Amino acid sequence: MNAENFNGYDIYALGDSAITIEFGKNINPETNDLVISRFNQFQETPIKGVIDLIPSYHSLTLCYDLNVVAKQKSGLHSLIDQVKSRLEEPIKLHAHSSQLHEVPVVYGGKNGSDLLRVSQEKGIDLQEIIRLHAEPTYRVYMLGFIPGFAYLGELHAKLTMPRKSTPQPMIPGSIGIAGLQTGIYPSFSPGGWNIIGHTDYPLLENGMPILQAGDRVKFIPLNQL
Amino acid sequence: MSLIIHKVGILDTIQHFGVKGLQSKGIRPGGVMDQFSASIANALVGNKLNEDLLEIHFPACEIIFTKSCLISIVGAHFSAKLNEKYLPLNRPILVPTNGKLQFVAPKSGRIVYLAIQGGLVGQGRLIKNSEIAFKKKPKLNSSSLHIFPWSADVHWQKYSPEIHVIQGREWERLNEESQRQFCCKPFKLSHHADRMGYRLQHQPFHTRTKEEIISSAVNFGTIQLLPNGQTIVLMADHQTTGGYPRIAHVISADLPKLAQKSPGDEVIFHLTDQETAEKEWVAQQKHIRQIQNISQLKLNEFFQKNSNQL
């Protein structure tokens, strides 16, 4: 199925048992607010047959129980109609309480081993990289990849780096940068981001993530290099 | 009162049928790779279809049953043996107390399911050198092996290379030549194949645009195009979101067949539509439920007749 446009949103199928609503074409706080608000709406008043919701930067995916889908008169298409009528209901934008997390960071050293390379490749001295990275208050745009991995944006354009060509082992608390994003690895995992620092800030509690989409993060540098 | 893992396999787990409702936190659903075989295995021993069970790869674990119980083995053919006697697939089997189960040689398929009447404790965990507790204490008592005289029809498992897919959001990014290659050319499964994803071997695909896409949701069966032109099919332990183009999605009804492919096996993708995907799924589910109903009747009848001996 190709995407169909509704109210300025694109709706498309993600395989035979999920549909995605794309609210915009770019990464920005307004589109992400819309995603989080619609996510809250679908979570508070669930649609029958929906078994999971996956919010991202600019889209929201609804995963269906295919048994329920197939029982509808015209399958997934009937469900898309249901979703459309929900999207016509007004919503309060971003009612979510946006928590501020102050995350202490040790930049560079053993657990921030890519800082030096980033500095060399970008031609920016270490102090300035730390200043540029710690300056903004970031938004948690989404959780994904592995449990509790928070995608934070936007990174200062001067710090954009490509992902590494081969993923490397990460330790919990590793702070990485890639493209216009920065993020924190909550657990041991392979990863391709450039690691510039490390934090002991708690990221998981009984396996559940502490950071939530819509929250804000401020990095507090602990060391001067 | 348990199963004792006498020898550990390479990748054996106690599997569930997927965690629901946590993907917004980045927590993947996971669950069985071949839902068809796993459901049939449960049906054969009278369990609910989505009861937790053992998912076994080769080289497989060796198991000692400290208590007589009803089991079934469905999926890959790994030449299962109980106390030196070969066991058939797709049948209820009553194993005697202290029976020792081994899988001695892989013949076909990749994953086999071992269902135990009443289920097991410890879902999602890798099986180590230890004991696995029964969820419910088995009531049966038998000092000898008994193989039941009926078997389940598992024709959906046929190992043909045809896998049906529907187009993904970024399908149009492939150039015409690559689109043609993708449909209908046989590809081999590479050695990079595990519960997270199966990589395919083919000439690199080419795209009309190199434009990056913004990370968003992926699914079990999503076929991603990697930066080097290769493809990967995401399997049960896929991550929740991804930033690679999604060129197609394997239909749910064909995921069990794909899951049973081993490195070197061929797959041929065929494009289909949503309607066909739904029809195939309904037909498969109906087949599973029929087996469940018949199994239940036959088990009841059998245990009524033999209640004195067991």
Side-chain angles (χ1 to χ4, degrees):
Chain A
M1 188 192 80
N2 293 323
E4 62 174 295
N5 194 274
F6 175 76
N7 272 0
Y9 312 147
D10 274 352
I11 301 180
Y12 62 89
L14 186 81
D16 58 13
S17 56
I19 62 166
T20 299
I21 313 156
E22 203 175 272
F23 293 94
K25 299 280 166 218
N26 304 305
I27 298 178
N28 61 60
E30 294 73 35
T31 305
N32 192 239
D33 269 344
L34 205 52
V35 171
I36 295 169
S37 305
R38 289 294 174 190
F39 166 69
N40 290 339
Q41 178 198 11
F42 285 117
Q43 208 167 38
E44 278 155 23
T45 1
I47 291 187
K48 189 175 170 241
V50 172
I51 51 174
D52 221 334
L53 296 167
I54 316 172
S56 77
Y57 283 105
H58 68 324
S59 72
L60 176 64
T61 298
L62 290 79
C63 302
Y64 286 95
D65 176 346
L66 195 46
N67 292 315
V68 179
V69 175
K71 272 189 203 131
Q72 310 287 320
K73 213 164 108 204
S74 46
L76 198 63
H77 294 286
S78 334
L79 294 162
I80 291 176
D81 289 339
Q82 240 182 64
V83 169
K84 282 185 190 165
S85 68
R86 283 292 183 87
L87 290 176
E88 279 180 317
E89 291 170 18
I91 40 154
K92 236 200 292 165
L93 264 185
H94 201 52
H96 180 87
S97 67
S98 152
Q99 206 191 322
L100 175 69
H101 303 269
E102 295 194 331
V103 175
V105 187
V106 175
Y107 283 96
K110 183 166 64 78
N111 296 330
S113 53
D114 295 322
L115 183 67
L116 217 54
R117 188 173 48 79
V118 173
S119 162
Q120 282 158 0
E121 281 180 30
K122 294 267 123 186
I124 305 173
D125 72 44
L126 298 176
Q127 262 347 306
E128 182 62 3
I129 290 181
I130 295 172
R131 196 188 65 77
L132 289 171
H133 185 258
E135 189 179 47
T137 300
Y138 295 102
R139 159 191 276 262
V140 178
Y141 274 96
M142 61 187 263
L143 298 170
F145 171 54
I146 49 172
F149 185 92
Y151 288 81
L152 310 176
E154 285 188 19
L155 187 68
H156 197 287
K158 279 189 188 164
L159 296 182
T160 55
M161 289 284 292
R163 285 178 176 79
K164 295 179 190 175
S165 50
T166 34
Q168 272 155 12
M170 297 293 169
I171 60 164
S174 296
I175 294 170
I177 56 172
L180 286 172
Q181 306 170 120
T182 180
I184 316 169
Y185 288 85
S187 51
F188 290 97
S189 136
W193 292 23
N194 306 280
I195 300 308
I196 59 167
H198 185 267
T199 184
D200 289 329
Y201 192 79
L203 300 160
L204 295 171
E205 193 178 58
N206 301 322
M208 287 296 164
I210 304 245
L211 304 183
Q212 302 293 326
D215 282 359
R216 288 163 303 136
V217 170
K218 181 92 176 97
F219 291 116
I220 313 291
L222 288 182
N223 56 334
Q224 295 287 316
L225 290 169
Chain B
M1 203 59 70
S2 58
L3 310 185
I4 292 173
I5 304 301
H6 183 62
K7 204 177 105 192
V8 186
I10 49 155
L11 198 70
D12 302 336
T13 48
I14 303 170
Q15 274 304 335
H16 49 85
F17 279 66
V19 179
K20 293 177 177 69
L22 292 177
Q23 290 201 69
S24 59
K25 301 191 183 300
I27 297 172
R28 64 195 181 199
V32 292
M33 290 278 275
D34 170 356
Q35 205 182 86
F36 177 79
S37 300
S39 302
I40 299 284
N42 273 325
L44 282 168
V45 296
N47 284 348
K48 62 180 169 79
L49 294 177
N50 58 355
E51 184 57 79
D52 299 346
L53 76 180
L54 290 182
E55 184 179 278
I56 295 168
H57 290 71
F58 200 87
C61 55
E62 280 181 27
I63 298 168
I64 295 169
F65 295 85
T66 63
K67 173 86 174 70
S68 171
C69 61
L70 189 68
I71 69 164
S72 68
I73 302 167
V74 181
H77 184 358
F78 288 166
S79 317
K81 260 179 162 183
L82 192 99
N83 300 343
E84 299 307 310
K85 187 180 175 349
Y86 281 105
L87 298 178
L89 288 170
N90 312 321
R91 283 172 195 260
I93 298 164
L94 183 60
V95 294
T97 302
N98 293 326
K100 181 177 166 193
L101 178 67
Q102 291 168 290
F103 296 89
V104 295
K107 292 280 164 62
S108 64
R110 181 188 179 91
I111 302 164
V112 70
Y113 291 92
L114 172 66
I116 315 267
Q117 190 177 45
L120 297 165
V121 176
Q123 57 163 246
R125 90 181 154 92
L126 203 61
I127 297 167
K128 305 230 176 78
N129 234 335
S130 58
E131 293 187 29
I132 303 172
F134 294 115
K135 248 186 211 167
K136 283 182 203 147
K137 184 183 163 188
K139 285 190 219 106
L140 305 168
N141 234 326
S142 175
S143 53
S144 60
L145 173 67
H146 183 84
I147 296 166
F148 288 61
W150 61 86
S151 70
D153 166 13
V154 292
H155 67 274
W156 256 282
Q157 274 183 328
K158 284 222 177 85
Y159 301 124
S160 75
E162 272 81 24
I163 301 287
H164 293 88
V165 300
I166 48 186
Q167 289 179 3
R169 170 71 161 160
E170 283 81 36
W171 166 256
E172 294 295 338
R173 288 190 170 221
L174 288 178
N175 68 17
E176 264 177 59
E177 172 62 21
S178 294
Q179 286 185 353
R180 262 199 307 274
Q181 273 187 22
F182 180 81
C183 310
C184 314
K185 266 216 167 184
F187 305 135
K188 276 195 173 142
L189 210 69
S190 99
H191 284 273
H192 297 283
D194 56 24
R195 281 188 45 92
M196 291 172 79
Y198 287 4
R199 286 199 194 209
L200 301 166
Q201 284 174 334
H202 48 73
Q203 293 289 317
F205 290 147
H206 299 287
T207 51
R208 298 173 212 264
T209 161
K210 290 271 174 238
E211 201 188 323
E212 292 265 319
I213 63 167
I214 301 172
S215 288
S216 69
V218 293
N219 213 344
F220 190 176
T222 297
I223 305 176
Q224 289 182 317
L225 180 65
L226 304 175
N228 60 4
Q230 297 299 315
T231 50
I232 182 167
V233 192
L234 301 182
M235 301 302 283
D237 277 350
H238 65 86
Q239 50 192 58
T240 57
T241 56
Y244 295 130
R246 299 152 295 180
I247 54 174
H249 304 270
V250 175
I251 65 169
S252 300
D254 279 358
L255 287 173
K257 193 157 82 171
L258 178 64
Q260 290 293 354
K261 303 267 175 237
S262 298
D265 285 354
E266 262 184 8
V267 296
I268 302 173
F269 292 124
H270 290 287
L271 277 180
T272 186
D273 54 20
Q274 176 69 25
E275 206 186 327
T276 313
E278 287 172 19
K279 261 193 210 146
E280 288 289 315
W281 174 259
V282 170
Q284 202 176 87
Q285 295 306 303
K286 196 173 154 198
H287 182 81
I288 294 171
R289 276 193 303 275
Q290 276 170 351
I291 290 178
Q292 184 184 29
N293 292 339
I294 297 166
S295 294
Q296 199 58 60
L297 279 174
K298 286 195 168 261
L299 285 175
N300 288 346
E301 200 180 37
F302 178 88
F303 285 115
Q304 264 164 23
K305 261 192 212 154
N306 299 282
S307 58
N308 305 334
Q309 292 133 52
L310 293 166

